[in-house]
Amino acid sequence: MEHRGREVGEGVRCGMLERSGNPGWPGRSAKCGMNGPAAATLLLMPLWMATAARAEVSISERKSEKETVVVLENEFVRLTVDVLHGGKVTGFVYKPLEREWLVSGQAMFIDHVWQQTWPGELYDVPYEYEITHRGPQQVTVKVWRSLQRKGMDSLIGVKVERSLSLSDASPVVTAKVAMQNPTDAVKTVGYWSQHIFRLGGMGDNYYVRPSTTGLAVGTFEYLDEGRKRERVGDEWVKAPTDGWTAALNPTTGEAAVFLMDYNDLRWLYNCIGNHTTEWYYDLLRMVPGSRWETEIRMLPLRGYRGVSFASREVVADVRLMRAAKGYQVAFSLGAGEKPLENVVLEARALSHPGRKVIAQEKVNFKSLGYLSEEYVSSSLLPEKSGSVVVEVSITGKGFAHRFEKHFGDYNRTDRLVAGIFDTGYELQPPRKEKTPLGRPAAVKRIPHEGFAAFEAQGQFSDAWRLEDALKLKGKYALTTGHFSSNVYGEQLDNFPAGYKGIMALDVVVLNNVSTNSLSPNDLALLIDYVKSGGGLLALGGWYAFGGGGYADSALADMLPVESGKPFDIQWHREGLPLTLTPSLSFRGRGQEEGHQKDPLANLDLSGNPSVFWLQELGAVKSNARIIATAGDKPFAVVGEHGRGRVACILAAPCGASTADRVLFCEWQQWPKLLGALLQWLSRG
C-alpha cells in the first residue's frame, strides 16, 4: 500500500470499468493499482445510456373499497404505500435490476413502539394520509395514526407520523418520523423501525452493523456440506458506534443501507431467519404538547460485497484479498445520496495491538456514482502480519469521514464472514449529542416551597435512608423512578419530564443506577439542570460509577471523581472506619475556610461507623473536595459544575454491623450527615 496519489477514473469518458475474470460482478474496478489477473478493462457505455434524459419523479393514488395505496416512483425505485394496512411500504421495485425486494407479505418502514411486543397495534391498522408534495423535484406522502391500545396509559393518545419522500435525482428514500403528545399527561414511548425484505431473490442476505467489537455480521448459512442451515452471528447489537445498518446480497451485489441519527439510537437488531432489519430508538418522556422528530434515509445500491462504513455522502467497504505471498487490501467506494467528484481516500494498515504502520495508501477518485468503484492495492501485507487494523479517511467537498476495520484470522478472506468471534479488538462508542425536547431559550430554576427531590432508585435504595434525611428538612416532596434490568435492557420507569419538572427540584439523586437507564434526553436535561444551579447526588453500588458506565457517559464531566471500570466495587471484610474532614466539608463557592459553619463539625462518630463495600476510583478531580474517607480512601467527594453542585458517595450500603462496628448507613447520625449534604447541594 505504499503507492501515493493514484487517480481512479482519469481519462475515462462515459466509461464503465469492470474487473476481468469476473464479468458477472456488478461493481466497477479501478484501472490502476491492480495487476495480473485483476487488471482492469475499459468498457464504453452506449451513447444512449450517456445521454438519456433523467426520468421525472411521480406520485399517484389508487383507491377502492378494499384498498388505498399511494405509489411513489423515480428512475431508481418504485414504492407502494398501503395506507389501510399500517401505512407501510408493501412494494419496493429496484429499477436498475427491475427487482422486487418485497415478496410474500414482506414490508418496509413499519412503525412500532417497543413497549409493545411484535406485531404491536400499528402493524396492520388503517392510517390517515395526505400527499404533501406532488413534484416536480420531490414527491411526499404523509401517514399518521394515534396509539389507542387499552391498558397502556403511558402510550394512549401519542400520535405517530411518518412522511416518505423521493426526489427526481437520487435513489434515496427519505422517511421523516415524528411522535407528538397532544394529551395533558406525560407519555413514555420508544419508537422502533422495522423492515422485512430479502435482496437478490437468491442466496442468503448478510446483515452488517457497526459495534464496539468492530463490524457485527450475521446471516443464515448452509453448514456441514449443505445438510444443515443455521443462523450465524449476533442478532442484537446493543452497543452501536454509528448511525447506520446494512443488508446485502454478496452474490448479486445488491445492498440496502439505512442511515439514522446515532444520537437517538438505542439498539440495532436483525431477526436473521426472517430477513428483518430493525432498530430501536431511545426512550422518550414526552410532556404535554411536545414533539420528537427523526429522519431515516434508505440507500438502495449495487456493486457491494460488503459494507464497512456508510454515510449520506459515501458508502465504503474494506476487505483483504489473498495474493501469492500475503494479502492485498481492496476498497469499494460509491456515492450515497448523490454522485460525487474529487474524493480522496487515505488508508493505513496498522498492527494490532501496538498500531504500528505496516503500509499506507492515498487514492483520488475523480468521480463516484451509485455503482461502487473498486480499488485494489498492489502492495502486500505479509502472510504473518497478525491482527491488522485498516484505518481509512474519506474526504470530499463538504465532508470528511474516518473509520477503521479490524482483520484477524477470523475474517482474513475475500468473502464476507458472519459469526461471533473473540477478536481482542474494542472501540469506544462516541458520546451522544442531544438537545432536550422543548428546551427554552433561557434555562432557569423554578422557585417553590419546601424541599423537592427526585430519586432514581436502584438495588438497596431503601438502605440509604434518604427519607429519614429529608424529614429533617421539614416540608418536603420526594418523587421516585424505579430502576430495572431485563430483556429490554436497563430502564428507569420515571424521570423528571421536561424543564418544568426538573427545574423545580432542589436535588436529583441517582441511587445505584446505570447511565444506560437514562435516555440521552434525560441526561441532557440533567446536565442543563446542574449547570443552572441544581444539585446532583450520586450514590454507589454495583450499577453505579464503573458498573454503571459513568466514565463513558455525559455524567463524566459533571462528577467530581473519575469513575473506575466495571466491577469496581471492593469488599473490605473488617470494615473501613468512616472519618470526616469538617475543615473542608462545606465551604461554598468563593468562600474561605471558616466563613460558613460546618454542619458536620459536631457529628458523633461513636459506634465506629464503617464501610464494607467501597468503590475503587480512577481519581479524584483536582477541583474536588474529599469530605469523608473510609480508612485512607475517598468516601464522600463534592464539587461544582456550572452554577450547580455535585456530590458522590462511593460505597454500597451493604455489610453486617458487629459489636464494635456499625454499617455506616445504620449509624444513628447518618440521616444528619446525608441531610447536611442535601442542604449543601440545594444551594448551588
Side-chain angles (χ1 to χ4, degrees), residues 213-388:
T213 55
L215 291 177
V217 181
T219 190
F220 259 79
E221 291 183 343
Y222 284 98
L223 306 177
D224 299 330
E225 298 179 354
R227 292 191 297 270
K228 187 177 182 182
R229 191 167 182 266
E230 292 185 355
R231 188 194 79 196
V232 183
D234 273 331
E235 294 191 321
W236 291 97
V237 171
K238 294 189 175 181
T241 55
D242 204 353
W244 65 268
T245 184
L248 60 124
N249 186 322
T251 304
T252 65
E254 292 164 80
V257 175
F258 294 88
L259 307 175
M260 72 290 297
D261 188 348
Y262 170 77
N263 295 301
D264 284 327
L265 180 62
R266 182 177 176 86
W267 294 336
L268 297 168
Y269 174 66
N270 296 92
C271 184
I272 295 172
N274 290 312
H275 307 288
T276 78
T277 295
E278 314 176 40
W279 57 94
Y280 293 67
Y281 288 88
D282 287 310
L283 197 67
L284 297 169
R285 305 182 206 278
M286 304 186 72
V287 298
S290 62
R291 180 181 173 90
W292 170 81
E293 297 178 343
T294 194
E295 194 167 271
I296 301 166
R297 292 174 182 263
M298 178 197 175
L299 314 180
L301 302 168
R302 60 192 176 111
Y304 289 90
R305 302 187 193 191
V307 175
S308 303
F309 172 80
S311 69
R312 293 179 61 173
E313 293 83 13
V314 68
V315 177
D317 187 41
V318 183
R319 66 186 188 280
L320 296 187
M321 297 180 63
R322 185 75 178 177
K325 294 182 180 180
Y327 297 89
Q328 293 174 288
V329 182
F331 304 93
S332 295
L333 204 62
E337 292 186 343
K338 60 183 180 181
L340 301 172
E341 294 181 348
N342 301 319
V343 176
V344 178
L345 181 149
E346 295 183 77
R348 299 192 305 166
L350 309 172
S351 62
H352 177 77
R355 300 184 79 88
K356 294 182 179 179
V357 177
I358 302 172
Q360 54 189 350
E361 188 90 35
K362 182 176 181 180
V363 187
N364 299 322
F365 291 83
K366 295 195 72 174
S367 63
L368 287 176
Y370 301 122
L371 185 65
S372 71
E373 299 277 3
E374 184 176 89
Y375 173 82
V376 181
S377 171
S378 59
S379 60
L380 296 176
L381 298 181
E383 178 78 33
K384 297 183 179 180
S385 55
S387 184
V388 173

Side-chain angles (χ1 to χ4, degrees), residues 442-453:
V443 179
K444 298 179 180 179
R445 301 287 303 285
I446 298 175
H448 57 276
E449 293 184 2
F451 194 95

